Amino acid sequence: MRSVKVIEPGMYTTVQDAGRFGYLRYGLPPAGAMDRRAFHAANAWAGNDPNAAVLECTGTLPVLEFSHPVQGAVVYPDHFQFLNAAAGERIAFPPVKGGYRVYMALEGGFDVPTVMGSRSTYVPGKLGGFEGRVLKAGDVLPIGPVNAAARAVACEPFHYHDVGRGVCIRVIPGPEADWFDCRGLNTFLTREFNVSSQSNRTGIRLNGPALSFCSKEQMVSSGISMGTLQVPPSGQPIIMMADHPTIGGYPRLGTVVEEDFSLLAQLKPGDLLRFREIS
C-alpha cells in the first residue's frame, strides 16, 4: 500500500477535504480546508476528485518520505509546483512566502477514515483526519488508489497580492450592526487592524482600535457560521473560520463575503487588513 511517512510535521499540518456538512445542529462545524480556492486547485492539478483529502500546512511545511513513486501538486499562496517523488525519497519543501497556508495533494488523495462523510480534521473535537489531530513525526498516512480515468486539470496560477501588506475584506452588515454607534462603525470601516497571534482555525482575532457600542442589550446566543464577525466586550473583532463554534453570544457586526474567505485563510499573525461594507 502506498503511504507517506512524516519525518518532520511542520508547525500545524492536518488532513483536510472540502468539509463536513449537515451537523451544525449538533454543534459540529464543517472544518475542511481554510483556503478552498487553493484546496480545489491542488486537487485539480493532481488529477484528483474535487473532494479528495489533502494536507493543509500552516506556517511551515512538513518533511515527508514516500514509500512508492507518487505524483501530486503543492499549492502555495503565490505559486504552485508539481510533485514527482520516487520510492524511498525524502522531500523537504520550500517555506511559505506571501501568505500562511499551503495545500499538498497527492494522486489518489490521503486515504484516512471517513467520519460523518468527511476526512477533514476537527482538532477541537478530536475527530476526522489522522487520529483527530495535527500530524507529528512518525505518522504514516495511507494514499488512496489512483483513478485511472482522472486527469490533471490545468488551472490559472493565482496569488494573493502580498496579503501581509494589507488587504481589504468585504463585509455585509450583520443582525446586530445597529448596536454599534457611529464612532464604532466609522472606526471599523476606516481604520486598519492586525491579526493577533491568538488566531487559529477557529477564528481570526484582530488587534486595533476598540469598536464602541451604543446598545447595552445582552444578546441571546445565536447561530454563527464561517465569516461571521463578532465583537466581544473588548471591542476587538473576531472573524469565525472553518472550526468555528456553531452558536455565539457576542454581537454580530457583519459577515465576510464567501469570495474573501481565501484571503482570510492566508493572513498570518501581524498581517494587516481593512474592511469595506457592501450590500
Side-chain angles (χ1 to χ4, degrees), residues 48-62:
N48 283 342
D49 178 275
N51 193 38
V54 307
L55 293 187
E56 179 182 89
C57 314
T58 306
T60 59
L61 280 77

Side-chain angles (χ1 to χ4, degrees), residues 6-235:
V6 179
I7 306 302
E8 296 177 15
M11 187 170 74
Y12 196 100
T13 304
T14 57
V15 177
Q16 301 291 343
D17 60 14
R20 180 177 292 105
F21 298 96
Y23 297 96
L24 289 175
R25 62 186 180 275
Y26 303 117
L28 188 64
M34 289 269 281
D35 185 341
R36 303 295 169 87
R37 184 182 178 195
F39 161 75
H40 287 301
N43 272 326
W45 274 313
N48 283 342
D49 178 275
N51 193 38
V54 307
L55 293 187
E56 179 182 89
C57 314
T58 306
T60 59
L61 280 77
V63 177
L64 302 175
E65 185 176 283
F66 299 84
S67 67
H68 292 70
V70 67
Q71 295 181 331
V74 184
V75 175
Y76 286 78
D78 57 351
H79 72 283
F80 82 99
Q81 62 185 59
F82 287 115
L83 172 63
N84 193 355
E89 186 174 4
R90 183 176 293 186
I91 299 179
F93 298 89
V96 186
K97 294 182 179 180
Y100 201 36
R101 290 182 170 86
V102 174
Y103 293 83
M104 184 185 305
L106 302 181
E107 55 178 1
F110 290 91
D111 195 18
V112 297
T114 298
V115 179
M116 297 179 181
S118 171
R119 291 184 167 90
S120 283
T121 311
Y122 176 50
V123 174
K126 299 180 181 179
L127 61 83
F130 188 83
E131 299 182 357
R133 59 170 171 79
V134 298
L135 300 185
K136 62 183 182 182
D139 289 342
V140 177
L141 283 68
I143 304 172
V146 177
N147 182 353
R151 55 191 296 268
V153 177
C155 297
E156 290 295 324
F158 58 89
H159 61 89
Y160 294 112
H161 308 288
D162 297 322
V163 291
R165 298 181 183 179
V167 297
C168 185
I169 301 297
R170 295 169 293 173
V171 176
I172 300 169
E176 290 77 47
D178 59 358
W179 287 25
F180 297 83
D181 59 28
C182 291
R183 183 167 64 90
L185 292 173
N186 184 66
T187 297
F188 175 65
L189 295 173
T190 61
R191 300 290 293 276
E192 202 166 47
F193 298 84
N194 69 77
V195 177
S196 166
S197 60
Q198 298 180 20
S199 300
N200 51 35
R201 281 180 50 89
T202 298
I204 296 176
R205 294 178 175 269
L206 302 178
N207 294 323
L211 306 185
S212 53
F213 297 83
C214 62
S215 172
K216 297 186 181 298
E217 290 187 56
Q218 295 297 310
M219 182 177 160
V220 176
S221 292
S222 301
I224 54 178
S225 62
M226 187 167 175
T228 297
L229 197 152
Q230 293 185 291
V231 184
S234 66

Side-chain angles (χ1 to χ4, degrees), residues 234-260:
S234 66
Q236 303 294 325
I238 306 170
I239 306 171
M240 297 294 101
M241 297 302 290
D243 290 349
H244 64 84
T246 56
I247 60 171
Y250 298 139
R252 297 162 294 180
L253 174 55
T255 301
V256 175
V257 299
E258 187 174 358
E259 290 84 355
D260 288 351

